[in-house]
Amino acid sequence: MRFFALLLLAAALFAQPKLIPPPGVAIPADQRVRLETRLAELDAALRPSLEKPHVEDVLVFREAVASALAYNEFFKLEELEKAHRLLEEGLLRARQLAAGQTPWATAKGLVVRGYRSAIDDSIQPYGLVIGPRVNAPGRLDLWFHGRGETLSEVNFLFDRLTKPGEFTPPDAMVLHLYGRYCNASKFAGETDLFEAMESVKRHYPIDENRIFVRGFSMGGATSWHVGAHFAGLWAGVAPGAGFAESSEYQNLAAKPARPWYEQKLFSLYDATEYALNFFNTPLIAYSGEKDKQIQAAQIMDRYLRKEGMQLAHVIGPNTEHKYHPAAKIEIAQRLDALARIGRDPYPSHIKFATRTLRYNRMRWLRLEGLEQHWEPARVEAKITPAGIVITSQNVSALAIAFGPGGWSGALDQAVPVLWNGQRAGVLQPQSDRSLEGFFGLREGVREGLRKQPQLQGPIDDAFYSRFLMVLPTGQAQSAEIASWVKSESEAAIADWRRIFRGKAIVKKDVDVTEDDIAHANLVLWGDAQSNQLLRRIAGQLPLQDQWKGTQAVVMIYPNPLNPRRYVVLNSGPTLRGEANGTNSLQTPKLPDWAVVDLTEPPSDKRPGRIVAADFFDEAWKVKPNSPAK
């Protein structure tokens, strides 16, 4: 036990990855007292309104300052005055809310709001710029910010109260996403996009067919990712600079080879693999002529040409990493023109590419099953006088849905579906004058144990939605496993706060309720001997023969107690310290399962020596040729 602990200590001292955010400055004692006193005032003012609607719009100010104090996240002394400004705004709103007033809810200009995330109950902020000529329902532009390693909630909210941002179309609302800090809106940051957007839609009338994706630098990378993976949702996509994939951007061919599964998982976020999806939405890229990040637009142009498309690329002459003034005008004019047209929610011709059912939708088409995950899946679908004609590869099941009035010429009759040259069935009219149909797998198999949307892995997939960290209360089968579990679980909980700006929900195994099992992915730490919940389901999980005294299993699997949710063994998000230096390496580092040799200490790249690792097959079984066999 002592030797193993020394190995862990030696590894920690030897490898010191870059920390994000960096440590803050020392706060003078009198300043800390002032802030804590104002926080106490705000807490008292909030107390009568904690259950009222709009309380999140006040809590964002409280949480920003309280977390900066608790986690040493004031990076310059002048940020203390920013915190006081936020507490003043919070106190004003708290008193207004207690009196039944919410004037910020109808204000125009710069507005800060918030919501409670379903992932971990954290209060998450966003900013709005509401133009003077906004009409209802109105246009919405999503703006993704650049990389800012010191972009605490304090700094983000202060900016959103004082700075309008790069683009302010007068007839639109601009939603500034925090994106859970500095992760290019990946993982929980991606969920933040949709939760924040839904919050905006609850409070303001938004035209679903006039939503645009925009951003610069890291925000440009986010725009490539969000634009390509969710192309059917947008009226247009306008990335500025950034990166679009990992391998070429990082020149990984000239560096030591990465594990095959990590390379395969680059295709989770590489926009190049989803280039075909830009068939379904207008794309206008921007780059400075002298900006190294012009590489993103150049590689996307290469991949778009392979799909028979050409990139519309606005280039700022003699410009480095910023917008050229004339280019800003041109981009604004192009997006304004697209806004006048709007998105067609039910086009007669769509094309779609994906590698995973995490990204399975394009307009009126949903993929419900793949023949093999992480291999290219492609679909082309057309509305013809004879019905729906579909061609595809690597697709085992799909669904088609037209909302009321979505296809007015055929709402009162069954519509034939021809799939890969064979009649697959018919779309059936519904009572609300819509059309729906499921094709491929037999109806009885749809609810069976198989990879399906949002239940397809890899390990990191469990952390896009609500999860619960479950700590063991028993004794592990070996001291090595016990020490490793303690170290890794503590790191995962700390990293969730540091990287994803939330607070992981943590319980002991004896305290998990049926409600937890029904509504959360369970992250079980320990082995079948130390964790009661893991012992309860161990006989229904694969790879149980891989546990040994100095060997542990990490995996994701449908929870046997609730197959609509995941169970994860011994892992938080798999990206580790190595990814802190660049968003282009913030990708999954492990597939669906791995066996870890604990005699090699954890590092900034892996939780120990990976003895074996692989994806489960489409029925969640260990593959016949898997290294664990």
Side-chain angles (χ1 to χ4, degrees), residues 193-242:
L193 155 64
F194 290 99
E195 289 190 321
M197 193 161 59
E198 286 307 309
S199 176
V200 171
K201 290 177 181 178
R202 284 195 300 271
H203 298 310
Y204 305 92
I206 299 300
D207 186 341
E208 295 277 0
N209 296 318
R210 287 175 172 80
I211 302 177
F212 292 88
V213 170
R214 312 175 74 169
F216 185 76
S217 193
M218 184 185 77
T222 302
S223 300
W224 286 115
H225 150 222
V226 169
H229 289 70
F230 302 100
L233 299 178
W234 319 126
V237 178

Side-chain angles (χ1 to χ4, degrees), residues 352-356 367 370 372 375-379 393-395:
F352 183 40
T354 189
R355 295 287 185 108
T356 168
L367 304 192
L370 300 182
Q372 186 175 353
E375 296 299 326
R378 297 168 65 93
V379 184
Q393 68 180 61
N394 193 29
V395 177

Side-chain angles (χ1 to χ4, degrees), residues 528 534-542 544 560:
L534 179 51
R535 180 162 63 248
R536 181 177 168 187
I537 63 175
Q540 302 173 70
L541 299 178
Q544 291 309 296

Side-chain angles (χ1 to χ4, degrees), residues 10 32 48 106 125 195 201 228-229 391 410 454 525 530:
R32 181 177 289 274
T106 54
E195 289 190 321
K201 290 177 181 178
H229 289 70
T391 57
Q454 280 64 71
W525 293 94
S530 61

